[in-house]
Amino acid sequence: MKTLVLISQRPRLKRPFLVACLPGMGGVGESVARYLIEMLDAEPFASIVSPRLPDYVVVRDGICYLPTYTFYAAGNIEPNIIILTGEAQPGSEDIVGHYELSEEVIKLAKRLSVRAIVGVGGFMMPNVQEGVFVAFSSEEIGRRFLEAGAKLMPKGHIVGAAGLIPALAAEFGIDSACLLSVVSSPLGDRNASARLLKVLLRGLGLALKPAS
């Protein structure tokens, strides 16, 4: 089996932002994705299935599904938004898998003429209890989130899709940023998710009420 990009319908979008909200530290990506999909009435339109994803299936209502990356479109707001979420990422040791799936995300983003890609997630920082940090590929998109309350990411490394997708997008000529919220626990951290969501909504110019 090869990695497949399956498009059920092509959404009518005008220069959307793509927000990549994949599973990771503190459950931040998953929480942000759920909120955006619900509040924007976003509809699924494409998915990626790949042997690079873990060797388990997802069961819903007794039915087995392969783990996927799923794209949702919200074209009824300005700016238009694409939300990318999924059940899993490739394993930490599968470097090729991370690059392969990130490249497929970016190829689809280019086909949809996205204006920028924003990766979101959580991370743990010694001696720091809270805060949202941003790393970016262009001053314009970086300024959006700095003015929205994010702090400049300190020197270091960003692991996983939240950083890799934006960094690779920049190599393809797409403006990009990575927003990371400091988490207190590697499991679900609702406060960290709410802090990031507040910065994300402000930075994108979306007039939605952040989750409490």
Side-chain angles (χ1 to χ4, degrees):
M1 178 183 173
K2 296 181 179 180
T3 296
L4 300 174
V5 180
L6 308 173
I7 302 175
S8 57
Q9 58 182 341
R10 186 183 176 97
R12 295 182 178 180
L13 301 172
K14 182 178 180 181
R15 299 189 67 235
F17 284 98
L18 188 154
V19 185
C21 310
L22 291 165
M25 186 70 70
V28 173
E30 302 99 302
S31 294
V32 171
R34 284 194 297 269
Y35 176 85
L36 291 176
I37 290 167
E38 179 178 348
M39 293 303 294
L40 300 177
D41 292 322
E43 295 292 336
F45 69 91
S47 61
I48 298 176
V49 294
S50 174
R52 296 293 188 180
L53 292 172
D55 60 344
Y56 59 71
V57 296
V58 180
V59 180
R60 293 189 292 269
D61 299 324
I63 301 174
C64 296
Y65 300 90
L66 290 172
T68 63
Y69 282 11
T70 305
F71 297 82
Y72 292 77
N76 57 345
I77 46 124
E78 177 59 40
N80 292 174
I81 302 293
I82 295 171
I83 303 121
L84 166 64
T85 188
E87 290 86 12
Q89 293 191 47
S92 58
E93 72 289 346
D94 186 7
I95 298 171
V96 174
H98 276 284
Y99 271 86
E100 181 178 310
L101 291 185
S102 295
E103 186 173 355
E104 293 296 343
V105 170
I106 294 160
K107 286 179 179 177
L108 182 55
K110 285 189 74 72
R111 290 172 61 184
L112 296 169
S113 301
V114 302
R115 71 170 80 177
I117 293 177
V118 182
V120 306
F123 77 127
M124 303 191 82
M125 179 180 287
N127 304 317
V128 177
Q129 299 299 316
E130 63 180 50
V132 177
F133 292 82
V134 63
F136 46 85
S137 68
S138 72
E139 290 186 6
E140 190 278 330
I141 193 166
R143 185 167 54 251
R144 279 177 173 266
F145 295 113
L146 290 171
E147 292 177 354
K151 303 173 185 177
L152 189 65
M153 182 77 67
K155 182 178 179 180
H157 300 88
I158 301 171
V159 178
L164 185 57
I165 290 176
L168 197 57
E171 297 298 318
F172 281 74
I174 302 175
D175 285 351
S176 59
C178 172
L179 279 179
L180 295 181
S181 186
V182 177
V183 300
S184 58
S185 167
L187 301 178
D189 188 330
R190 294 184 61 186
N191 291 332
S193 300
R195 286 193 296 270
L196 188 144
L197 187 59
K198 184 177 181 180
V199 172
L200 177 68
L201 295 177
R202 284 180 177 175
L204 296 181
L206 290 173
L208 297 176
K209 182 180 179 181
S212 58

